Amino acid sequence: GEDVEQSLFLSVREGDSSVINCTYTDSSSTYLYWYKQEPGAGLQLLTYIFSNMDMKQDQRLTVLLNKKDKHLSLRIADTQTGDSAIYFCALPRGGYQKVTFGTGTKLQVIP
Amino acid sequence: DVKVTQSSRYLVKRTGEKVFLECVQDMDHENMFWYRQDPGLGLRLIYFSYDVKMKEKGDIPEGYSVSREKKERFSLILESASTNQTSMYLCASSLPGQGNYEQYFGPGTRLTVT
């Protein structure tokens, strides 16, 4: 099955940029997703990128996709304390809108 | 807005008890999912359902069963709870369709089995 790997933890200072990385094994996905889980809450879709794109920018968020290396990253500019959360990359797998989630990266923002 | 609710935020049960976790969505979604979330392991799919009374095993179905008698409600059942089922349980729903795999999540139920 699909393997989706992320580093477990990232710590940044408020105002710096954060880069969260994700590597995957299956290259047939049409969409690749980033979800955010705030403390005590479920996951919420943050952004996504089509597989025919290399980059997508959405305000402070930049998603980069390197299909050759099967690498996805999420950059958060001017990181704020409200960005502290767990971030999951996710790829579609099989039918019925099933998704494989990465292991999740916990982002800690230091004031 | 899609709303997915789960019956309890926190639950403490004893080993061997039968446990019911309920999930309700209000957007007429065909697909519903149960995951468990453990640190360092991400989300793992337990079961999913693509229609009323239809269910499929996910990656870790052992020790669990599910029920979907109505479109809006998807229940996860632990027939005989064990300590290794202590976890955060997340329910999600989605619409069928080409390409869009966005899932909508409930807030989660943190289950402790003692």
PDB file of all heavy atoms in Angstrom, chain B residues 46-83:
ATOM      1  N   ILE B  46     -10.087   2.306   9.965  1.00  0.00           N
ATOM      2  CA  ILE B  46     -10.628   1.104  10.600  1.00  0.00           C
ATOM      3  C   ILE B  46     -11.693   0.470   9.689  1.00  0.00           C
ATOM      4  O   ILE B  46     -11.593  -0.701   9.305  1.00  0.00           O
ATOM      5  CB  ILE B  46     -11.249   1.433  11.971  1.00  0.00           C
ATOM      6  CG1 ILE B  46     -10.237   2.138  12.873  1.00  0.00           C
ATOM      7  CG2 ILE B  46     -11.761   0.163  12.638  1.00  0.00           C
ATOM      8  CD1 ILE B  46     -10.833   2.686  14.164  1.00  0.00           C
ATOM      9  N   TYR B  47     -12.704   1.238   9.365  1.00  0.00           N
ATOM     10  CA  TYR B  47     -13.785   0.813   8.477  1.00  0.00           C
ATOM     11  C   TYR B  47     -14.289   2.027   7.715  1.00  0.00           C
ATOM     12  O   TYR B  47     -14.123   3.158   8.157  1.00  0.00           O
ATOM     13  CB  TYR B  47     -14.972   0.259   9.286  1.00  0.00           C
ATOM     14  CG  TYR B  47     -14.993  -1.228   9.518  1.00  0.00           C
ATOM     15  CD1 TYR B  47     -14.475  -1.774  10.697  1.00  0.00           C
ATOM     16  CD2 TYR B  47     -15.558  -2.091   8.582  1.00  0.00           C
ATOM     17  CE1 TYR B  47     -14.503  -3.135  10.924  1.00  0.00           C
ATOM     18  CE2 TYR B  47     -15.599  -3.463   8.797  1.00  0.00           C
ATOM     19  CZ  TYR B  47     -15.071  -3.973   9.983  1.00  0.00           C
ATOM     20  OH  TYR B  47     -15.110  -5.332  10.207  1.00  0.00           O
ATOM     21  N   PHE B  48     -14.905   1.766   6.583  1.00  0.00           N
ATOM     22  CA  PHE B  48     -15.627   2.824   5.909  1.00  0.00           C
ATOM     23  C   PHE B  48     -16.929   2.281   5.328  1.00  0.00           C
ATOM     24  O   PHE B  48     -17.102   1.056   5.195  1.00  0.00           O
ATOM     25  CB  PHE B  48     -14.768   3.505   4.837  1.00  0.00           C
ATOM     26  CG  PHE B  48     -14.465   2.652   3.640  1.00  0.00           C
ATOM     27  CD1 PHE B  48     -15.208   2.754   2.474  1.00  0.00           C
ATOM     28  CD2 PHE B  48     -13.413   1.739   3.662  1.00  0.00           C
ATOM     29  CE1 PHE B  48     -14.923   1.984   1.369  1.00  0.00           C
ATOM     30  CE2 PHE B  48     -13.122   0.963   2.562  1.00  0.00           C
ATOM     31  CZ  PHE B  48     -13.869   1.083   1.415  1.00  0.00           C
ATOM     32  N   SER B  49     -17.819   3.200   4.989  1.00  0.00           N
ATOM     33  CA  SER B  49     -19.121   2.839   4.448  1.00  0.00           C
ATOM     34  C   SER B  49     -19.419   3.759   3.281  1.00  0.00           C
ATOM     35  O   SER B  49     -19.233   4.971   3.372  1.00  0.00           O
ATOM     36  CB  SER B  49     -20.200   2.985   5.524  1.00  0.00           C
ATOM     37  OG  SER B  49     -21.483   2.885   4.947  1.00  0.00           O
ATOM     38  N   TYR B  50     -19.881   3.203   2.177  1.00  0.00           N
ATOM     39  CA  TYR B  50     -20.175   4.006   0.997  1.00  0.00           C
ATOM     40  C   TYR B  50     -21.666   4.130   0.722  1.00  0.00           C
ATOM     41  O   TYR B  50     -22.080   4.729  -0.262  1.00  0.00           O
ATOM     42  CB  TYR B  50     -19.438   3.461  -0.233  1.00  0.00           C
ATOM     43  CG  TYR B  50     -19.642   1.992  -0.482  1.00  0.00           C
ATOM     44  CD1 TYR B  50     -20.682   1.535  -1.289  1.00  0.00           C
ATOM     45  CD2 TYR B  50     -18.794   1.043   0.088  1.00  0.00           C
ATOM     46  CE1 TYR B  50     -20.868   0.192  -1.512  1.00  0.00           C
ATOM     47  CE2 TYR B  50     -18.986  -0.308  -0.129  1.00  0.00           C
ATOM     48  CZ  TYR B  50     -20.019  -0.726  -0.933  1.00  0.00           C
ATOM     49  OH  TYR B  50     -20.201  -2.064  -1.140  1.00  0.00           O
ATOM     50  N   ASP B  51     -22.474   3.535   1.600  1.00  0.00           N
ATOM     51  CA  ASP B  51     -23.924   3.657   1.463  1.00  0.00           C
ATOM     52  C   ASP B  51     -24.562   3.021   2.686  1.00  0.00           C
ATOM     53  O   ASP B  51     -23.896   2.293   3.450  1.00  0.00           O
ATOM     54  CB  ASP B  51     -24.400   2.972   0.181  1.00  0.00           C
ATOM     55  CG  ASP B  51     -25.722   3.527  -0.335  1.00  0.00           C
ATOM     56  OD1 ASP B  51     -26.406   4.259   0.419  1.00  0.00           O
ATOM     57  OD2 ASP B  51     -26.074   3.232  -1.484  1.00  0.00           O
ATOM     58  N   VAL B  52     -25.851   3.242   2.840  1.00  0.00           N
ATOM     59  CA  VAL B  52     -26.564   2.620   3.962  1.00  0.00           C
ATOM     60  C   VAL B  52     -26.408   1.108   3.888  1.00  0.00           C
ATOM     61  O   VAL B  52     -26.529   0.504   2.819  1.00  0.00           O
ATOM     62  CB  VAL B  52     -28.052   3.020   3.917  1.00  0.00           C
ATOM     63  CG1 VAL B  52     -28.835   2.289   5.004  1.00  0.00           C
ATOM     64  CG2 VAL B  52     -28.203   4.518   4.077  1.00  0.00           C
ATOM     65  N   LYS B  53     -26.097   0.531   5.035  1.00  0.00           N
ATOM     66  CA  LYS B  53     -25.913  -0.912   5.212  1.00  0.00           C
ATOM     67  C   LYS B  53     -24.705  -1.479   4.458  1.00  0.00           C
ATOM     68  O   LYS B  53     -24.481  -2.696   4.485  1.00  0.00           O
ATOM     69  CB  LYS B  53     -27.173  -1.681   4.806  1.00  0.00           C
ATOM     70  CG  LYS B  53     -28.393  -1.370   5.675  1.00  0.00           C
ATOM     71  CD  LYS B  53     -29.517  -2.342   5.410  1.00  0.00           C
ATOM     72  CE  LYS B  53     -30.794  -1.941   6.142  1.00  0.00           C
ATOM     73  NZ  LYS B  53     -30.638  -2.032   7.594  1.00  0.00           N
ATOM     74  N   MET B  54     -23.926  -0.629   3.806  1.00  0.00           N
ATOM     75  CA  MET B  54     -22.732  -1.098   3.088  1.00  0.00           C
ATOM     76  C   MET B  54     -21.502  -0.704   3.894  1.00  0.00           C
ATOM     77  O   MET B  54     -21.389   0.433   4.368  1.00  0.00           O
ATOM     78  CB  MET B  54     -22.660  -0.485   1.694  1.00  0.00           C
ATOM     79  CG  MET B  54     -23.903  -0.687   0.854  1.00  0.00           C
ATOM     80  SD  MET B  54     -24.372  -2.416   0.683  1.00  0.00           S
ATOM     81  CE  MET B  54     -23.122  -2.979  -0.443  1.00  0.00           C
ATOM     82  N   LYS B  55     -20.574  -1.629   4.036  1.00  0.00           N
ATOM     83  CA  LYS B  55     -19.366  -1.365   4.802  1.00  0.00           C
ATOM     84  C   LYS B  55     -18.204  -2.164   4.212  1.00  0.00           C
ATOM     85  O   LYS B  55     -18.408  -3.217   3.616  1.00  0.00           O
ATOM     86  CB  LYS B  55     -19.564  -1.741   6.280  1.00  0.00           C
ATOM     87  CG  LYS B  55     -19.934  -3.196   6.484  1.00  0.00           C
ATOM     88  CD  LYS B  55     -20.322  -3.469   7.919  1.00  0.00           C
ATOM     89  CE  LYS B  55     -20.714  -4.944   8.085  1.00  0.00           C
ATOM     90  NZ  LYS B  55     -21.257  -5.233   9.423  1.00  0.00           N
ATOM     91  N   GLU B  56     -17.026  -1.613   4.417  1.00  0.00           N
ATOM     92  CA  GLU B  56     -15.810  -2.282   3.954  1.00  0.00           C
ATOM     93  C   GLU B  56     -14.753  -2.154   5.035  1.00  0.00           C
ATOM     94  O   GLU B  56     -14.656  -1.119   5.708  1.00  0.00           O
ATOM     95  CB  GLU B  56     -15.274  -1.635   2.670  1.00  0.00           C
ATOM     96  CG  GLU B  56     -16.154  -1.796   1.458  1.00  0.00           C
ATOM     97  CD  GLU B  56     -16.029  -3.164   0.820  1.00  0.00           C
ATOM     98  OE1 GLU B  56     -15.053  -3.867   1.134  1.00  0.00           O
ATOM     99  OE2 GLU B  56     -16.912  -3.525   0.013  1.00  0.00           O
ATOM    100  N   LYS B  57     -13.947  -3.192   5.174  1.00  0.00           N
ATOM    101  CA  LYS B  57     -12.848  -3.122   6.133  1.00  0.00           C
ATOM    102  C   LYS B  57     -11.779  -2.160   5.636  1.00  0.00           C
ATOM    103  O   LYS B  57     -11.515  -2.075   4.437  1.00  0.00           O
ATOM    104  CB  LYS B  57     -12.235  -4.512   6.323  1.00  0.00           C
ATOM    105  CG  LYS B  57     -13.156  -5.498   7.008  1.00  0.00           C
ATOM    106  CD  LYS B  57     -12.500  -6.853   7.156  1.00  0.00           C
ATOM    107  CE  LYS B  57     -13.436  -7.836   7.832  1.00  0.00           C
ATOM    108  NZ  LYS B  57     -12.836  -9.180   7.959  1.00  0.00           N
ATOM    109  N   GLY B  58     -11.184  -1.476   6.601  1.00  0.00           N
ATOM    110  CA  GLY B  58     -10.037  -0.640   6.293  1.00  0.00           C
ATOM    111  C   GLY B  58      -8.751  -1.394   6.562  1.00  0.00           C
ATOM    112  O   GLY B  58      -8.664  -2.604   6.333  1.00  0.00           O
ATOM    113  N   ASP B  59      -7.770  -0.688   7.099  1.00  0.00           N
ATOM    114  CA  ASP B  59      -6.456  -1.291   7.314  1.00  0.00           C
ATOM    115  C   ASP B  59      -6.332  -2.029   8.644  1.00  0.00           C
ATOM    116  O   ASP B  59      -5.529  -2.938   8.769  1.00  0.00           O
ATOM    117  CB  ASP B  59      -5.382  -0.194   7.251  1.00  0.00           C
ATOM    118  CG  ASP B  59      -5.402   0.517   5.911  1.00  0.00           C
ATOM    119  OD1 ASP B  59      -5.478  -0.183   4.868  1.00  0.00           O
ATOM    120  OD2 ASP B  59      -5.354   1.757   5.889  1.00  0.00           O
ATOM    121  N   ILE B  60      -7.124  -1.624   9.640  1.00  0.00           N
ATOM    122  CA  ILE B  60      -6.987  -2.238  10.974  1.00  0.00           C
ATOM    123  C   ILE B  60      -8.372  -2.565  11.546  1.00  0.00           C
ATOM    124  O   ILE B  60      -8.770  -2.059  12.586  1.00  0.00           O
ATOM    125  CB  ILE B  60      -6.206  -1.321  11.945  1.00  0.00           C
ATOM    126  CG1 ILE B  60      -6.784   0.104  11.968  1.00  0.00           C
ATOM    127  CG2 ILE B  60      -4.724  -1.267  11.568  1.00  0.00           C
ATOM    128  CD1 ILE B  60      -6.334   0.920  13.149  1.00  0.00           C
ATOM    129  N   PRO B  61      -9.146  -3.458  10.926  1.00  0.00           N
ATOM    130  CA  PRO B  61     -10.510  -3.714  11.391  1.00  0.00           C
ATOM    131  C   PRO B  61     -10.626  -4.657  12.592  1.00  0.00           C
ATOM    132  O   PRO B  61     -11.699  -4.759  13.197  1.00  0.00           O
ATOM    133  CB  PRO B  61     -11.152  -4.355  10.160  1.00  0.00           C
ATOM    134  CG  PRO B  61     -10.012  -5.081   9.508  1.00  0.00           C
ATOM    135  CD  PRO B  61      -8.795  -4.212   9.734  1.00  0.00           C
ATOM    136  N   GLU B  62      -9.534  -5.330  12.930  1.00  0.00           N
ATOM    137  CA  GLU B  62      -9.621  -6.366  13.969  1.00  0.00           C
ATOM    138  C   GLU B  62     -10.044  -5.755  15.309  1.00  0.00           C
ATOM    139  O   GLU B  62      -9.468  -4.773  15.768  1.00  0.00           O
ATOM    140  CB  GLU B  62      -8.263  -7.067  14.129  1.00  0.00           C
ATOM    141  CG  GLU B  62      -7.795  -7.840  12.907  1.00  0.00           C
ATOM    142  CD  GLU B  62      -7.204  -6.943  11.831  1.00  0.00           C
ATOM    143  OE1 GLU B  62      -6.834  -5.784  12.140  1.00  0.00           O
ATOM    144  OE2 GLU B  62      -7.126  -7.397  10.672  1.00  0.00           O
ATOM    145  N   GLY B  63     -11.050  -6.372  15.912  1.00  0.00           N
ATOM    146  CA  GLY B  63     -11.549  -5.910  17.201  1.00  0.00           C
ATOM    147  C   GLY B  63     -12.647  -4.870  17.103  1.00  0.00           C
ATOM    148  O   GLY B  63     -13.164  -4.413  18.131  1.00  0.00           O
ATOM    149  N   TYR B  64     -13.004  -4.505  15.867  1.00  0.00           N
ATOM    150  CA  TYR B  64     -14.027  -3.474  15.645  1.00  0.00           C
ATOM    151  C   TYR B  64     -15.111  -4.002  14.703  1.00  0.00           C
ATOM    152  O   TYR B  64     -14.862  -4.891  13.889  1.00  0.00           O
ATOM    153  CB  TYR B  64     -13.419  -2.231  15.003  1.00  0.00           C
ATOM    154  CG  TYR B  64     -12.281  -1.599  15.757  1.00  0.00           C
ATOM    155  CD1 TYR B  64     -10.961  -1.934  15.460  1.00  0.00           C
ATOM    156  CD2 TYR B  64     -12.523  -0.670  16.767  1.00  0.00           C
ATOM    157  CE1 TYR B  64      -9.906  -1.351  16.147  1.00  0.00           C
ATOM    158  CE2 TYR B  64     -11.471  -0.085  17.454  1.00  0.00           C
ATOM    159  CZ  TYR B  64     -10.162  -0.424  17.140  1.00  0.00           C
ATOM    160  OH  TYR B  64      -9.130   0.153  17.816  1.00  0.00           O
ATOM    161  N   SER B  65     -16.290  -3.418  14.826  1.00  0.00           N
ATOM    162  CA  SER B  65     -17.331  -3.606  13.814  1.00  0.00           C
ATOM    163  C   SER B  65     -18.042  -2.260  13.642  1.00  0.00           C
ATOM    164  O   SER B  65     -17.794  -1.315  14.404  1.00  0.00           O
ATOM    165  CB  SER B  65     -18.319  -4.705  14.221  1.00  0.00           C
ATOM    166  OG  SER B  65     -18.985  -4.347  15.421  1.00  0.00           O
ATOM    167  N   VAL B  66     -18.872  -2.168  12.617  1.00  0.00           N
ATOM    168  CA  VAL B  66     -19.558  -0.911  12.343  1.00  0.00           C
ATOM    169  C   VAL B  66     -21.004  -1.196  11.962  1.00  0.00           C
ATOM    170  O   VAL B  66     -21.378  -2.319  11.622  1.00  0.00           O
ATOM    171  CB  VAL B  66     -18.876  -0.104  11.199  1.00  0.00           C
ATOM    172  CG1 VAL B  66     -17.550   0.454  11.645  1.00  0.00           C
ATOM    173  CG2 VAL B  66     -18.758  -0.949   9.938  1.00  0.00           C
ATOM    174  N   SER B  67     -21.777  -0.121  12.022  1.00  0.00           N
ATOM    175  CA  SER B  67     -23.180  -0.214  11.639  1.00  0.00           C
ATOM    176  C   SER B  67     -23.579   1.076  10.957  1.00  0.00           C
ATOM    177  O   SER B  67     -23.260   2.174  11.440  1.00  0.00           O
ATOM    178  CB  SER B  67     -24.052  -0.439  12.882  1.00  0.00           C
ATOM    179  OG  SER B  67     -25.416  -0.342  12.560  1.00  0.00           O
ATOM    180  N   ARG B  68     -24.286   0.920   9.824  1.00  0.00           N
ATOM    181  CA  ARG B  68     -24.820   2.108   9.150  1.00  0.00           C
ATOM    182  C   ARG B  68     -26.244   1.784   8.710  1.00  0.00           C
ATOM    183  O   ARG B  68     -26.484   1.325   7.600  1.00  0.00           O
ATOM    184  CB  ARG B  68     -23.958   2.516   7.968  1.00  0.00           C
ATOM    185  CG  ARG B  68     -24.367   3.893   7.455  1.00  0.00           C
ATOM    186  CD  ARG B  68     -23.266   4.569   6.757  1.00  0.00           C
ATOM    187  NE  ARG B  68     -23.664   5.861   6.255  1.00  0.00           N
ATOM    188  CZ  ARG B  68     -23.184   6.393   5.136  1.00  0.00           C
ATOM    189  NH1 ARG B  68     -22.317   5.718   4.421  1.00  0.00           N
ATOM    190  NH2 ARG B  68     -23.579   7.584   4.758  1.00  0.00           N
ATOM    191  N   GLU B  69     -27.171   2.104   9.593  1.00  0.00           N
ATOM    192  CA  GLU B  69     -28.589   1.864   9.324  1.00  0.00           C
ATOM    193  C   GLU B  69     -29.262   3.056   8.668  1.00  0.00           C
ATOM    194  O   GLU B  69     -30.281   2.911   7.996  1.00  0.00           O
ATOM    195  CB  GLU B  69     -29.301   1.508  10.630  1.00  0.00           C
ATOM    196  CG  GLU B  69     -28.804   0.218  11.266  1.00  0.00           C
ATOM    197  CD  GLU B  69     -29.049  -0.986  10.370  1.00  0.00           C
ATOM    198  OE1 GLU B  69     -30.145  -1.090   9.791  1.00  0.00           O
ATOM    199  OE2 GLU B  69     -28.124  -1.822  10.238  1.00  0.00           O
ATOM    200  N   LYS B  70     -28.724   4.242   8.902  1.00  0.00           N
ATOM    201  CA  LYS B  70     -29.232   5.466   8.274  1.00  0.00           C
ATOM    202  C   LYS B  70     -28.070   6.195   7.616  1.00  0.00           C
ATOM    203  O   LYS B  70     -26.928   6.089   8.069  1.00  0.00           O
ATOM    204  CB  LYS B  70     -29.898   6.371   9.313  1.00  0.00           C
ATOM    205  CG  LYS B  70     -31.161   5.810   9.898  1.00  0.00           C
ATOM    206  CD  LYS B  70     -31.822   6.822  10.824  1.00  0.00           C
ATOM    207  CE  LYS B  70     -33.128   6.265  11.362  1.00  0.00           C
ATOM    208  NZ  LYS B  70     -33.816   7.228  12.252  1.00  0.00           N
ATOM    209  N   LYS B  71     -28.372   6.944   6.590  1.00  0.00           N
ATOM    210  CA  LYS B  71     -27.318   7.585   5.804  1.00  0.00           C
ATOM    211  C   LYS B  71     -26.479   8.537   6.652  1.00  0.00           C
ATOM    212  O   LYS B  71     -25.268   8.653   6.461  1.00  0.00           O
ATOM    213  CB  LYS B  71     -27.945   8.353   4.648  1.00  0.00           C
ATOM    214  CG  LYS B  71     -26.954   8.837   3.608  1.00  0.00           C
ATOM    215  CD  LYS B  71     -27.689   9.460   2.444  1.00  0.00           C
ATOM    216  CE  LYS B  71     -26.725   9.825   1.336  1.00  0.00           C
ATOM    217  NZ  LYS B  71     -27.442  10.429   0.190  1.00  0.00           N
ATOM    218  N   GLU B  72     -27.107   9.217   7.587  1.00  0.00           N
ATOM    219  CA  GLU B  72     -26.383  10.244   8.335  1.00  0.00           C
ATOM    220  C   GLU B  72     -25.598   9.697   9.525  1.00  0.00           C
ATOM    221  O   GLU B  72     -24.821  10.424  10.121  1.00  0.00           O
ATOM    222  CB  GLU B  72     -27.369  11.308   8.836  1.00  0.00           C
ATOM    223  CG  GLU B  72     -28.366  10.836   9.881  1.00  0.00           C
ATOM    224  CD  GLU B  72     -29.652  10.290   9.281  1.00  0.00           C
ATOM    225  OE1 GLU B  72     -29.663   9.936   8.077  1.00  0.00           O
ATOM    226  OE2 GLU B  72     -30.640  10.196  10.039  1.00  0.00           O
ATOM    227  N   ARG B  73     -25.770   8.440   9.862  1.00  0.00           N
ATOM    228  CA  ARG B  73     -25.196   7.918  11.112  1.00  0.00           C
ATOM    229  C   ARG B  73     -24.314   6.700  10.842  1.00  0.00           C
ATOM    230  O   ARG B  73     -24.719   5.758  10.163  1.00  0.00           O
ATOM    231  CB  ARG B  73     -26.328   7.544  12.059  1.00  0.00           C
ATOM    232  CG  ARG B  73     -25.898   7.196  13.459  1.00  0.00           C
ATOM    233  CD  ARG B  73     -27.143   6.850  14.295  1.00  0.00           C
ATOM    234  NE  ARG B  73     -28.012   8.004  14.413  1.00  0.00           N
ATOM    235  CZ  ARG B  73     -27.961   8.891  15.400  1.00  0.00           C
ATOM    236  NH1 ARG B  73     -27.061   8.761  16.354  1.00  0.00           N
ATOM    237  NH2 ARG B  73     -28.817   9.890  15.436  1.00  0.00           N
ATOM    238  N   PHE B  74     -23.129   6.744  11.437  1.00  0.00           N
ATOM    239  CA  PHE B  74     -22.176   5.635  11.269  1.00  0.00           C
ATOM    240  C   PHE B  74     -21.607   5.325  12.643  1.00  0.00           C
ATOM    241  O   PHE B  74     -21.003   6.203  13.272  1.00  0.00           O
ATOM    242  CB  PHE B  74     -21.071   6.061  10.290  1.00  0.00           C
ATOM    243  CG  PHE B  74     -20.166   4.963   9.807  1.00  0.00           C
ATOM    244  CD1 PHE B  74     -20.624   3.676   9.592  1.00  0.00           C
ATOM    245  CD2 PHE B  74     -18.834   5.237   9.511  1.00  0.00           C
ATOM    246  CE1 PHE B  74     -19.790   2.687   9.117  1.00  0.00           C
ATOM    247  CE2 PHE B  74     -17.990   4.249   9.021  1.00  0.00           C
ATOM    248  CZ  PHE B  74     -18.469   2.977   8.825  1.00  0.00           C
ATOM    249  N   SER B  75     -21.826   4.095  13.106  1.00  0.00           N
ATOM    250  CA  SER B  75     -21.427   3.721  14.461  1.00  0.00           C
ATOM    251  C   SER B  75     -20.235   2.781  14.425  1.00  0.00           C
ATOM    252  O   SER B  75     -20.178   1.869  13.582  1.00  0.00           O
ATOM    253  CB  SER B  75     -22.589   3.039  15.180  1.00  0.00           C
ATOM    254  OG  SER B  75     -23.712   3.890  15.218  1.00  0.00           O
ATOM    255  N   LEU B  76     -19.330   2.998  15.341  1.00  0.00           N
ATOM    256  CA  LEU B  76     -18.180   2.096  15.525  1.00  0.00           C
ATOM    257  C   LEU B  76     -18.402   1.341  16.827  1.00  0.00           C
ATOM    258  O   LEU B  76     -18.734   1.942  17.851  1.00  0.00           O
ATOM    259  CB  LEU B  76     -16.882   2.898  15.598  1.00  0.00           C
ATOM    260  CG  LEU B  76     -15.598   2.092  15.800  1.00  0.00           C
ATOM    261  CD1 LEU B  76     -15.279   1.270  14.540  1.00  0.00           C
ATOM    262  CD2 LEU B  76     -14.434   3.018  16.134  1.00  0.00           C
ATOM    263  N   ILE B  77     -18.230   0.036  16.768  1.00  0.00           N
ATOM    264  CA  ILE B  77     -18.498  -0.813  17.920  1.00  0.00           C
ATOM    265  C   ILE B  77     -17.227  -1.575  18.297  1.00  0.00           C
ATOM    266  O   ILE B  77     -16.596  -2.200  17.420  1.00  0.00           O
ATOM    267  CB  ILE B  77     -19.634  -1.807  17.599  1.00  0.00           C
ATOM    268  CG1 ILE B  77     -20.880  -1.032  17.168  1.00  0.00           C
ATOM    269  CG2 ILE B  77     -19.938  -2.696  18.806  1.00  0.00           C
ATOM    270  CD1 ILE B  77     -21.789  -1.793  16.253  1.00  0.00           C
ATOM    271  N   LEU B  78     -16.886  -1.484  19.562  1.00  0.00           N
ATOM    272  CA  LEU B  78     -15.813  -2.312  20.103  1.00  0.00           C
ATOM    273  C   LEU B  78     -16.498  -3.423  20.887  1.00  0.00           C
ATOM    274  O   LEU B  78     -17.105  -3.172  21.939  1.00  0.00           O
ATOM    275  CB  LEU B  78     -14.890  -1.498  21.018  1.00  0.00           C
ATOM    276  CG  LEU B  78     -13.926  -0.504  20.369  1.00  0.00           C
ATOM    277  CD1 LEU B  78     -14.646   0.654  19.696  1.00  0.00           C
ATOM    278  CD2 LEU B  78     -12.930   0.012  21.413  1.00  0.00           C
ATOM    279  N   GLU B  79     -16.473  -4.624  20.364  1.00  0.00           N
ATOM    280  CA  GLU B  79     -17.255  -5.712  20.948  1.00  0.00           C
ATOM    281  C   GLU B  79     -16.794  -6.048  22.370  1.00  0.00           C
ATOM    282  O   GLU B  79     -17.599  -6.334  23.239  1.00  0.00           O
ATOM    283  CB  GLU B  79     -17.150  -6.958  20.063  1.00  0.00           C
ATOM    284  CG  GLU B  79     -17.748  -6.782  18.669  1.00  0.00           C
ATOM    285  CD  GLU B  79     -19.275  -6.729  18.701  1.00  0.00           C
ATOM    286  OE1 GLU B  79     -19.888  -7.137  19.703  1.00  0.00           O
ATOM    287  OE2 GLU B  79     -19.877  -6.265  17.693  1.00  0.00           O
ATOM    288  N   SER B  80     -15.500  -6.008  22.593  1.00  0.00           N
ATOM    289  CA  SER B  80     -14.941  -6.300  23.914  1.00  0.00           C
ATOM    290  C   SER B  80     -13.673  -5.458  24.046  1.00  0.00           C
ATOM    291  O   SER B  80     -12.605  -5.839  23.571  1.00  0.00           O
ATOM    292  CB  SER B  80     -14.628  -7.794  24.037  1.00  0.00           C
ATOM    293  OG  SER B  80     -14.022  -8.085  25.284  1.00  0.00           O
ATOM    294  N   ALA B  81     -13.835  -4.286  24.653  1.00  0.00           N
ATOM    295  CA  ALA B  81     -12.742  -3.313  24.662  1.00  0.00           C
ATOM    296  C   ALA B  81     -11.485  -3.866  25.322  1.00  0.00           C
ATOM    297  O   ALA B  81     -11.545  -4.589  26.326  1.00  0.00           O
ATOM    298  CB  ALA B  81     -13.196  -2.047  25.376  1.00  0.00           C
ATOM    299  N   SER B  82     -10.346  -3.511  24.742  1.00  0.00           N
ATOM    300  CA  SER B  82      -9.064  -3.902  25.320  1.00  0.00           C
ATOM    301  C   SER B  82      -8.192  -2.659  25.462  1.00  0.00           C
ATOM    302  O   SER B  82      -8.437  -1.631  24.813  1.00  0.00           O
ATOM    303  CB  SER B  82      -8.365  -4.934  24.432  1.00  0.00           C
ATOM    304  OG  SER B  82      -8.058  -4.368  23.179  1.00  0.00           O
ATOM    305  N   THR B  83      -7.187  -2.760  26.323  1.00  0.00           N
ATOM    306  CA  THR B  83      -6.356  -1.586  26.605  1.00  0.00           C
ATOM    307  C   THR B  83      -5.642  -1.076  25.350  1.00  0.00           C
ATOM    308  O   THR B  83      -5.377   0.124  25.233  1.00  0.00           O
ATOM    309  CB  THR B  83      -5.327  -1.904  27.701  1.00  0.00           C
ATOM    310  OG1 THR B  83      -4.583  -3.065  27.335  1.00  0.00           O
ATOM    311  CG2 THR B  83      -6.021  -2.154  29.044  1.00  0.00           C
TER     312      THR B  83
END
